């Protein structure tokens, strides 16, 4: 279920007027990074922490811990991270604009002439670890006709092919990531429980091995040879 971007359109347009970031880019990132099963089609992070872009760290309302999907060495894996928690959705969108205003992104965005340039510039700045992040954004913009919300300063060039899915962003300063869905959360819990179970079994096996190697001595005959015990008995008689 795609996130309903209706409540965010005006703020995206307001931020475009202030920062130059096309509203279509902002809205596409919300759909890509914050779609889920909660009210409004939002992910758990977006719904519970008002974090629309998976920005890590501490927000004006604290930190929200959750599992995320990250690309590491070309493979998707689940990790646990702390994400910024915001007091409002606008604060999340404003913070996102601040992140994209950093030099690491602006050196790729300052000469952008199209919406497409923005999508690839954000990726080049290290925003996402997903190699298909830019094409996914552009396909979302075309699928939902998000370019209609732009000021018209930047042209959108439709692309064909590619798939629309979750994008995972790089960790670190200003990095974002995409929270996993409920199924991935269950998988993470199952993995952790399984790991504890394996460690418990190994511990039991070690105890059994120790007991067999060093049996508990339950009688005096385990310490004193039986012949000596018998001689002692004869002398007593």
């Amino acid at each position: 279920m795609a996130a309903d971007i209706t409540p965010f359109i005006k703020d995206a347009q307001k931020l475009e007027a202030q920062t130059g970031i096309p509203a279509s880019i902002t809205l596409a990132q919300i759909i890509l990074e914050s779609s889920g099963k909660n009210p409004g089609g939002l992910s758990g992070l977006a719904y519970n922490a008002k974090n629309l872009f998976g920005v890590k760290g501490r927000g004006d309302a604290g930190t929200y811990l959750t599992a995320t999907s990250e690309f590491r060495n070309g493979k998707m894996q689940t990790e646990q991270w702390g994400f910024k928690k915001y007091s409002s959705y606008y604060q999340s969108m404003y913070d996102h604009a601040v992140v994209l205003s950093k030099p690491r992104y602006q050196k790729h965005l300052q000469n952008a002439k199209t919406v497409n340039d923005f999508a690839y510039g954000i990726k080049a700045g290290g925003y996402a670890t997903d190699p298909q992040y830019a094409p996914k954004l552009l396909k979302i913009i075309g699928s939902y006709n998000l370019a209609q919300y732009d000021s018209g300063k930047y042209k959108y060039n439709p692309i064909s092919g590619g798939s629309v899915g979750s994008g995972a962003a790089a960790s670190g300063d200003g990095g974002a990531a995409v929270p996993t869905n409920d199924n991935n959360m269950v998988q993470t819990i199952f993995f952790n429980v399984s790991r504890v179970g394996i460690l418990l079994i190994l511990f039991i096996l070690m105890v059994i091995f120790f007991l067999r190697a060093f049996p508990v001595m339950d009688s005096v005959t385990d310490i004193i040879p039986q012949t000596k015990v018998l001689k002692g008995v004869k002398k007593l008689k």
Side-chain angles (χ1 to χ4, degrees), residues 189-199:
I189 295 172
F190 179 79
F191 173 77
N192 291 331
V193 171
S194 299
R195 184 168 56 181
V196 172
I198 292 173
L199 292 175

Side-chain angles (χ1 to χ4, degrees), residues 51-214:
N51 189 330
L52 295 169
F53 305 95
V55 180
K56 298 168 184 171
R58 183 176 181 82
D60 66 326
T63 301
Y64 183 83
L65 294 175
T66 188
T68 75
S69 294
E70 300 277 359
F71 275 93
R72 303 295 183 195
N73 299 320
K75 295 182 179 180
M76 181 76 83
Q77 62 185 42
T78 299
E79 300 177 0
Q80 194 80 13
W81 282 91
F83 293 83
K84 290 186 176 183
K85 186 175 183 179
Y86 297 99
S87 57
S88 68
Y89 286 115
Y90 176 75
Q91 189 61 39
S92 173
M93 296 174 71
Y94 176 81
D95 196 29
H96 168 259
V98 170
V99 168
L100 295 186
S101 297
K102 292 183 177 182
R104 61 183 281 194
Y105 297 108
Q106 283 303 306
K107 67 180 181 181
H108 300 286
L109 300 177
Q110 60 185 355
N111 295 320
K113 300 185 182 302
T114 65
V115 172
N116 304 57
D117 291 338
F118 267 89
Y120 282 98
I122 290 171
K123 175 65 178 73
Y127 188 92
T129 56
D130 183 352
Q132 295 300 312
Y133 190 81
K136 287 178 180 179
L137 281 184
L138 295 172
K139 186 169 184 181
I140 288 174
I141 291 173
S143 298
Y144 294 91
N145 192 25
L146 300 182
Q148 65 177 307
Y149 303 117
D150 290 337
S151 64
K153 180 179 179 179
Y154 300 101
K155 180 182 178 182
Y156 165 67
N157 298 316
I159 65 171
S160 60
S163 60
V164 178
S166 295
S171 59
D173 178 38
V178 181
T180 59
N181 57 27
D182 295 338
N183 289 333
N184 284 338
M185 287 290 289
V186 171
Q187 291 174 2
T188 302
I189 295 172
F190 179 79
F191 173 77
N192 291 331
V193 171
S194 299
R195 184 168 56 181
V196 172
I198 292 173
L199 292 175
L200 181 60
I201 292 173
L202 290 174
F203 175 78
I204 294 173
L205 291 175
M206 289 178 63
V207 172
I208 294 174
F209 175 80
F210 181 85
L211 292 176
R212 287 186 176 181
F214 305 97

